[in-house]
Amino acid sequence: MHGVRRILIGIWLVGVLWAATGPVPAREEPVQPCPILKVIVTEFPTHRKLMLHPSPEEHFTVFGGAASMFDPAKRRGIRVAVLWDNRTGQTLRDVTLRLEYQQAKTRDMRTVDMPFPEVPGKSRWTNFELKGGEYEDTVHIAAWRVSVRSGNRELGSKHSAMWSIR
């Protein structure tokens, strides 16, 4: 009987000591250095006042220059605007923003890379524009995936619902 009592007291003592050390810290997910926050796919030209994000050509009155004024094919295209954020607080070097998409017309897969030699610790909008022959081949994007890469390492990504089905 004394042996059982000593075992129970020992278990109780271990439990009290374990409880006194405090709660076990929850495992935190690693912070993604460059998460993709938002992706907007639009046909352009869009009305400047209706745009949901800043655009580099905002200050131009004629989109694409005078040549595109007279050629309707040059005025049409698809813009994929990506809001992404460097949350490391440090400047990242040799970063690539990659757009992978499936053309609705031909079902071909295409990849477009945009290199950034230095990425400061802040959010930024980046536009991919498909126009001219590329737009004529694509017309509509069936599925897309955007990723931020550094070398072979993926720092963050986002994809459309149709991308996960393919």
Side-chain angles (χ1 to χ4, degrees):
M1 185 74 161
H2 283 305
V4 173
R5 189 173 185 188
R6 284 185 182 166
I7 292 173
L8 289 176
I9 290 173
I11 292 173
W12 176 79
L13 187 57
V14 168
V16 168
L17 291 174
W18 183 64
T21 60
V24 177
R27 281 192 171 178
E28 294 182 22
E29 289 186 27
V31 176
Q32 288 183 324
C34 288
I36 308 290
L37 305 176
K38 192 172 196 178
V39 177
I40 302 171
V41 180
T42 58
E43 276 196 50
F44 64 81
T46 57
H47 193 275
R48 205 175 91 197
K49 291 181 181 177
L50 298 177
M51 292 186 74
L52 301 173
H53 63 278
S55 177
E57 67 275 346
E58 216 171 58
H59 59 280
F60 295 122
T61 53
V62 177
F63 182 81
S68 67
M69 251 175 53
F70 304 108
D71 187 358
K74 290 183 181 175
R75 288 187 298 190
R76 307 242 338 134
I78 298 172
R79 174 181 294 122
V80 179
V82 181
L83 175 62
W84 53 294
D85 190 12
N86 175 3
R87 293 187 178 172
T88 63
Q90 301 171 1
T91 300
L92 296 174
R93 304 206 186 293
D94 298 322
V95 173
T96 301
L97 186 64
R98 175 174 287 171
L99 168 66
E100 301 167 85
Y101 64 95
Q102 182 180 20
Q103 297 173 320
K105 189 174 179 181
T106 63
R107 298 287 186 218
D108 287 342
M109 296 301 295
R110 298 281 175 101
T111 301
V112 181
D113 287 340
M114 195 172 295
F116 292 91
E118 288 189 355
V119 178
K122 62 179 184 175
S123 297
R124 66 175 51 214
W125 281 102
T126 302
N127 292 320
F128 290 96
E129 293 185 353
L130 312 176
K131 51 189 173 183
E134 183 67 25
Y135 171 71
E136 295 301 321
D137 287 346
T138 304
V139 181
H140 297 288
I141 293 177
W144 54 264
R145 179 178 187 267
V146 177
S147 58
V148 180
R149 306 185 64 78
S150 179
N152 291 333
R153 196 174 127 218
E154 185 174 291
L155 304 177
S157 70
K158 192 167 196 170
H159 59 82
S160 66
M162 294 302 290
W163 186 267
S164 59
I165 294 172
R166 38 165 234 109

